[in-house]
Structure formats: C-alpha cells, structure tokens
C-alpha cells in the first residue's frame, strides 16, 4: 500500500526565516493526522506544501506517491483558516460548494452539480442555508459550508487548517463527527488537520505530529501527548496547557 | 434627443461607447471585489503619460494616432505595477502610487517639450466625443473581439477574486490570470479616454459594478447588472449630453451615480 502522505527531509525557508527544518514523516492511507504546535511553528506552512501552494526549499512531499505540485488536484481538498475568507464576495453558500466541484466559479449551476453539492451540504449539516448569501452566515455555518466544499469532490486527502476556530464547543464535537463520518464512508480517505486542542487530537486522531519548526514527536496520540514532549514543543509557555493533558 | 442619433459623430461615439461601457463595467466587477479601484485611477493617469509621449512624437510623425503609443505605454505600466507587487510585500496602493506618479511625471516632461500641447491634451483629459473617428470605432471592435476571447476566464478570475489561495491550491494559474486582467484593464482604459476622459475613466470601472453589488448577491448576477448599468448610462448619456450641451463623460458618470444611489435607496 502506498503512503497517503510522505514527507522527506522537508525544509521551507522564506528569505532568512526557516519555517520548517528537516521534517520527515509518513502517514498511511485512512489515517487521521492532528498537527500540533505553538504559533509560528510552521503548521500552516506544512499544510500549504501538502497542497502545492508552497514549494519545498529542500526535501520532498509526496501525495499518494506523486509530487505535491503534480498531484491530481481533485484528489486533494484544502479547507483554509476561516480568518482568510472574504465575506464581502457576492455568493450563495451553494455556489461556494459547487466551486469545489468545478475548480472555477460557477456562472450557473447545473442540476447534477446542485444535487452533488446539496448532498455534501446535507452531510455537513448546512443544507438549509444553501441559498443564503455567505455574508449572512455565522462563522460556524460558514466553516461547515467550507467543509462541504472540501468534501464534495470526494477527495482522498482532506487538509484542514484549524477548522474548529469560530465553532462553539458543542458544534466542535459535531464537526469532528462529520470528519469521522466522512472517513467511515470513504475508508481510504486520509485527513490532515491542524488543531490547538490536545483532547481533540487524543480522541479523534490516529497520529499526532508535534511540530516546532522541527518534528518534536510523531506517532500515536498516547505516545506523543506526553508532558516532556509537549514542554519541548511549546517551551515554557506550555506550562498552562500541560494541566489539560491528563484530562 | 432622437435627432441626435442622426449625426455621424454620435453614431460613432455610441458604437465605441457601448463597447467600452460593456467591457469596462464587466471588468469592474473584478476591480470592485478585489478592491482595485485605485488601480483603475492609476492606469488612467498612466495613460496620460502615454498620450503626452505620443503628442511629443507627433511633431516628427504627424500621422501618429496617440492610442498606438498610449496603449503599449499603459500596458507596460500595468505589468510593472503587478510585477513590483509580486516582487515586494508592499501594499498594492503603494506600488500603484509609485508607478502612476512616475508615468504622470514623464508625461509632464514630455508635454513641456512640445509646443501645442494644451488643446490635444485636454481632449484626452476630459474626453470629447466629437473626436471619435471611424478608426476609434474599428479599434473598439478589435478590442471587443480580443475581449470575447478572454470571456472563458470569468470563472477563474471570479474564483481567484473569491479566494486566491483556494484557486491556487486547485492549480488555477492565478498569477498569469492577474497579468491578463491588468493588461485588459489597461487597454480598455486607453480606449475610453476619448469618450469619458482620463479624469473620470476609473468611475466606469467602479460605479456600475458597485450598483450591481447592491442589487444582487451572486457574482454572475452582479456581472450582468453591472454591464447593463454601464451600457444604459452611455446610451442615455451620450445623446442627452449633446442635447443639453454638457461634456458627455461627466453626464455619463452623473447618470451612473444616480443609478447607484437609486439602488442604494431601493435596497431594503
Ligand atoms: N509567505 C510567507 N512569507 C514569509 N514568512 C512566512 C510566510 N508564511 C509563513 N511565514 C513565517 O513562517 C513561520 C511559520 O508560519 P506558519 O503560518 O506556518 O505558523 P503556524 O504554525 O501556522 O502558526 P499559527 O498557529 O499562528 O497559525 C512564521 O515565522 C511566519 O512568519
Ligand atoms: Mg497557521
């Protein structure tokens, strides 16, 4: 079986800033990877190299055996951090989801595309806002619409950057159930997700990557989410968080 | 008002004006949603540098049509703006501010070296439909044909407008598309000089699109509304300006603004 994601000696630099240094890990198909680390650890940078948005300075990133820049782009979906989204754009939620199917903005929506998009919105729990302009959606609704947009093309790799930001605590639990549902329906689909919530990583992820420019730890949640490693990753600022680890 | 249509100059101005209005209000939806309004203004002022250069060259080559110089000049400035923006992390209005000031400064220097600048330059600054010749109509038709070839880009331009990062992640060539968009904008601005005038061209790229944004909540509908508003302002404004003896560019902009404020009030 080919690995879903294979990162080898990945280094990414922005001018004089080294965002990632010598990062290596392999994630098997059907895995659910939680990426954790302090602000500025290079988490978003790692995800952007997976989507092909950023080119490695050194090393390689392979998605299902192919170079990340030359991958089949319908096989990968990227759900961006919500704070980067332009709410001013005139769009219905349904159009946003259809754009994930067409990879361009829809001039009009065909019956077929509408059926597929509506199904994805239903499974993300936002079918009722299909005809609502995105400027009128709440943050949590919009995040789910983006998830539907990510799922509509049935990707084999779903990449999410802090998907839970902007969702309330109960909604958050539901959100992760949606992801689990997706993997249940698509057993070979792989998920890579950034989170700041260690209990989420513990309960939902099959693997955890602890990142602070370099790999601090990679493996199953119980092996990685330990005090020493977390302190390593977060430095002294991790003190407050270590209290939550045992919970 | 009807008799105004019988004049040859009016027919030419209308033909060129409708084409220019359609294209610029179509492009305007991207300008407005990308918050590039300042780029329209910057390119218009850059076009002035091109016109000034042409007027200077005319003393050697009398038959030279200023558009032939202004168009490549403005495209070059447009591409330079795009390039500076991509090479640096400067905000777009900074890159635009630098390059259009440079183009204007060059224009002023060119004009200082010519003897008969005032009247010719005024034509381009404020527009004059009386000067729209058969050549200008032919040029607009050529631009329209080129522009029609770019119509399939709507879906990609719109996608990148909504979220450039998502478009890039989906392998859309966003940078290349942006260069094309800026170059097309430059061409249309140059074409619009004689009808609207450099001073008011930017409005063509902003007001109809803003009206479209107020009245619709889908990007496709916004595009259609904008084009209709742009064409209507020319079809009504040109003959009316002759009737009332008002500069046509100014009247067109007043009509566009009136439509905008009506839309603002009509919206619940
Ligand atoms: N396009 C860029 N140009 C220059 N530097 C960048 C760029 N993108 C990221 N960086 C730098 O790389 C480092 C890692 O950033 P990144 O966004 O990957 O961190 P992160 O782990 O996602 O942080 P956060 O938790 O705040 O989202 C930071 O120092 C950041 O300033
Ligand atoms: Mg980040």
């Amino acid at each position: 079986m080919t690995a879903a994601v294979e990162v080898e000696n990945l280094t990414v630099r922005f001018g004089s800033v080294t965002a990632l240094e010598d990062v290596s890990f392999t994630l098997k198909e059907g895995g659910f990877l939680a990426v954790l680390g302090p602000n500025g650890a290079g988490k978003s940078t790692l995800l952007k190299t997976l989507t092909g948005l950023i080119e490695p300075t050194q090393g390689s990133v392979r998605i299902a055996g192919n170079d990340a820049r030359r991958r089949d782009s319908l096989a990968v979906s990227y759900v961006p951090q919500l704070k980067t989204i332009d709410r001013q754009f005139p769009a219905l939620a349904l159009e946003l989801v259809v754009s994930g199917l067409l990879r361009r903005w829809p001039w009009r929506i065909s019956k077929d595309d509408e059926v597929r998009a509506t199904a994805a919105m239903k499974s993300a729990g936002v079918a009722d806002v299909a005809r609502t302009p995105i400027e009128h959606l709440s943050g949590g609704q919009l995040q789910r619409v983006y998830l539907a947009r990510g799922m509509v093309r049935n990707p084999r790799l779903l990449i999410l950057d802090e998907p839970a930001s902007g969702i309330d605590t109960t909604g958050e639990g539901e959100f992760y159930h949606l992801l689990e549902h997706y993997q249940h329906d698509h057993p070979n689909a792989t998920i890579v997700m950034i989170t700041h919530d260690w209990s989420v990583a513990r309960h939902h992820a099959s693997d955890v990557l602890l990142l602070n420019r370099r790999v601090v730890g990679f493996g199953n949640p119980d092996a990685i989410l330990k005090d020493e490693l977390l302190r390593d990753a977060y430095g002294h600022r991790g003190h407050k968080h270590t209290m939550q680890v045992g919970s | 008002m009807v008799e105004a249509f019988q004049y040859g100059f009016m027919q030419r101005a209308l033909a060129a004006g409708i084409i220019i209005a359609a294209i610029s209000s179509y492009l305007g939806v991207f300008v407005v949603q990308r918050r590039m309004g300042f780029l329209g203004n910057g390119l218009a002022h850059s076009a002035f540098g091109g016109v000034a250069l042409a007027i200077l060259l005319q003393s050697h080559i009398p038959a030279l049509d200023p558009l032939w110089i202004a168009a490549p000049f403005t495209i070059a400035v447009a591409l330079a703006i795009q390039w500076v923006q991509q090479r640096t992390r400067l905000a777009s209005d900074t890159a635009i501010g630098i390059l259009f000031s440079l183009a204007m400064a060059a224009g002023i220097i060119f004009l200082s070296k010519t003897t008969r600048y005032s009247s010719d330059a005024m034509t381009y600054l404020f527009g004059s439909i009386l000067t729209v010749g058969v050549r200008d109509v032919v040029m607009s038709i050529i631009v329209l044909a080129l522009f029609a070839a770019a119509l399939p880009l709507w879906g990609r331009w719109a996608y990148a407008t909504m979220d450039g990062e998502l478009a890039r992640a989906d392998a859309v060539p966003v940078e290349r598309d942006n260069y094309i968009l800026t170059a097309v904008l430059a061409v249309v601005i140059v074409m619009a000089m004689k009808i609207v005038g450099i001073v008011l061209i930017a409005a063509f790229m902003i007001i109809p699109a803003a009206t479209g944004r107020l009245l619709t909540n889908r990007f496709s509908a916004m595009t259609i509304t904008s084009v209709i508003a742009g064409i209507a302002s020319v079809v009504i404004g040109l003959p009316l300006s002759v009737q009332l003896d008002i500069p046509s560019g100014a009247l067109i902009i007043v009509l566009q603004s009136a439509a905008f404020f009506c839309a603002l009030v009509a919206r619940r």
Side-chain angles (χ1 to χ4, degrees):
Chain A
M1 196 169 76
T2 51
V5 178
E6 230 180 325
V7 175
E8 247 177 45
N9 307 112
L10 173 68
T11 295
V12 176
R13 288 196 196 95
F14 300 104
S16 60
V17 178
T18 305
L20 292 171
E21 194 165 0
D22 201 26
V23 170
S24 300
F25 66 91
T26 303
L27 185 64
K28 63 180 190 312
E29 263 187 7
F32 187 141
L33 175 68
V35 180
L36 281 96
N39 294 128
K43 304 181 297 295
S44 296
T45 304
L46 174 66
L47 262 56
K48 284 177 190 171
T49 51
L50 296 186
T51 60
L53 281 170
I54 293 177
E55 219 162 329
T57 312
Q58 277 161 38
S60 67
V61 174
R62 305 188 142 267
I63 306 294
N66 297 313
D67 188 288
R69 306 275 303 189
R70 269 176 282 292
R71 78 213 143 70
D72 170 6
S73 55
L74 274 178
V76 181
S77 271
Y78 171 55
V79 180
Q81 247 173 307
L82 199 57
K83 58 181 174 240
T84 66
I85 289 160
D86 179 13
R87 297 273 216 125
Q88 285 293 97
F89 192 80
L92 306 181
L94 180 68
E95 290 182 295
L96 186 56
V97 177
V98 170
S99 76
L101 211 47
L102 302 176
R103 288 181 295 166
R104 57 178 159 72
W105 198 257
W107 176 262
R108 48 180 299 277
I109 297 172
S110 74
K111 204 75 222 152
D112 266 9
D113 292 344
E114 179 169 353
V115 169
R116 284 185 68 180
T118 308
M121 295 186 85
K122 195 169 277 171
S123 60
V126 279
D128 53 321
V129 296
R131 296 272 161 196
T132 306
I134 56 170
E135 60 183 333
H136 297 151
L137 296 178
S138 75
Q141 284 173 322
L142 188 59
Q143 188 61 280
R144 284 153 179 267
V145 170
Y146 263 89
L147 178 66
R149 183 193 175 281
M151 295 193 307
V152 70
R153 57 170 82 155
N154 294 321
R156 288 172 55 189
L157 177 61
L158 189 56
I159 298 174
L160 306 108
D161 196 340
E162 294 187 39
S165 55
I167 297 185
D168 60 41
T169 347
T170 37
E172 214 181 310
E174 274 173 56
F175 191 87
Y176 295 117
H177 279 297
L178 293 176
L179 292 180
E180 283 177 354
H181 260 287
Y182 182 76
Q183 281 196 311
H184 184 264
D185 296 339
H186 305 77
N188 291 327
T190 309
I191 293 178
V192 175
M193 181 184 86
I194 295 178
T195 176
H196 284 291
D197 187 332
W198 300 344
S199 75
V200 164
R202 186 182 294 282
H203 291 115
H204 299 277
S206 66
D207 301 83
V208 171
L209 174 66
L210 206 50
L211 198 66
N212 193 354
R213 208 162 51 89
R214 298 168 158 276
V215 176
V216 178
F218 176 76
N220 74 53
D222 294 329
I224 300 305
L225 296 172
K226 288 206 175 86
D227 279 5
E228 318 87 78
L229 284 179
L230 291 169
R231 206 169 292 130
D232 262 7
Y234 286 83
H236 352 277
R237 288 182 302 141
H239 181 72
K240 192 181 86 213
H241 300 281
T242 43
M243 316 281 283
Q244 300 170 2
V245 177
S247 69
Chain B
M1 197 167 135
V2 180
E3 57 267 36
F5 288 98
Q6 292 163 0
Y7 300 117
F9 77 86
M10 176 53 68
Q11 290 163 2
R12 290 192 296 274
L14 267 176
I18 289 171
I19 291 172
I20 287 157
I23 301 177
S24 50
S25 45
Y26 173 95
L27 295 174
V29 296
F30 301 104
V31 171
V32 164
Q33 286 305 137
R34 293 181 180 208
R35 301 170 174 79
M36 294 190 330
F38 190 52
L39 178 65
N41 241 321
L43 291 181
H45 288 80
S46 305
F48 171 79
V51 168
L53 177 60
I55 292 175
L56 176 64
L57 293 176
Q58 270 177 340
S59 52
H60 304 289
I61 319 162
L64 185 71
D65 186 332
L67 293 191
W68 290 108
I69 301 295
F73 186 92
T74 312
I75 291 174
V77 176
L79 297 182
I81 288 171
Q82 192 80 18
W83 182 76
V84 169
Q85 233 171 285
Q86 259 160 37
R87 290 288 301 240
T88 64
R89 310 198 112 237
L90 294 173
S92 68
D93 54 354
T94 308
I96 296 165
I98 293 169
L99 282 151
F100 103 71
S101 312
L102 175 61
M104 277 291 273
I108 291 167
I109 294 171
F110 296 146
L111 281 190
S112 74
K113 296 293 169 199
T114 56
T115 40
R116 43 168 206 112
Y117 75 87
S118 50
S119 68
D120 280 15
M122 289 306 247
T123 299
Y124 291 95
L125 278 177
F126 297 106
S128 164
I129 54 169
L130 290 170
T131 62
V132 177
V134 176
R135 260 217 286 202
D136 297 300
V137 176
V138 172
M139 286 267 275
S140 344
I141 291 171
I142 293 171
V143 170
L144 182 66
L146 286 176
F147 171 74
L151 277 181
L153 283 176
W154 184 88
R156 293 202 331 232
W157 279 340
Y159 195 13
T161 303
M162 160 77 201
D163 191 327
E165 193 165 76
L166 279 184
R168 236 174 264 127
D170 274 346
V172 173
V174 175
E175 270 75 34
R176 200 191 63 195
D177 287 359
N178 286 352
Y179 276 112
I180 299 174
L181 179 61
T182 328
V184 179
L185 266 178
V187 172
V188 175
I189 282 172
V190 170
M191 299 301 304
M193 282 189 301
K194 279 193 181 172
I195 297 205
V196 208
I198 285 168
V199 174
L200 289 175
I201 290 174
F204 245 78
M205 317 258 164
I206 295 172
I207 304 175
T211 308
R213 180 65 186 96
L214 288 187
L215 294 178
T216 62
N217 43 37
R218 297 180 63 170
F219 195 61
S220 47
M222 175 182 172
T223 309
I224 293 169
T225 313
S226 174
V227 170
I228 291 172
I231 291 178
S233 71
V234 166
V235 171
I236 300 170
L238 276 184
L240 195 60
S241 73
V242 172
Q243 188 92 358
L244 303 177
D245 194 22
I246 294 175
S248 49
L251 184 60
I252 288 170
I253 302 307
V254 167
L255 289 176
Q256 288 180 356
S257 308
F260 171 82
F261 285 108
C262 286
L264 190 62
V265 173
R267 218 166 57 129
R268 333 133 276 137

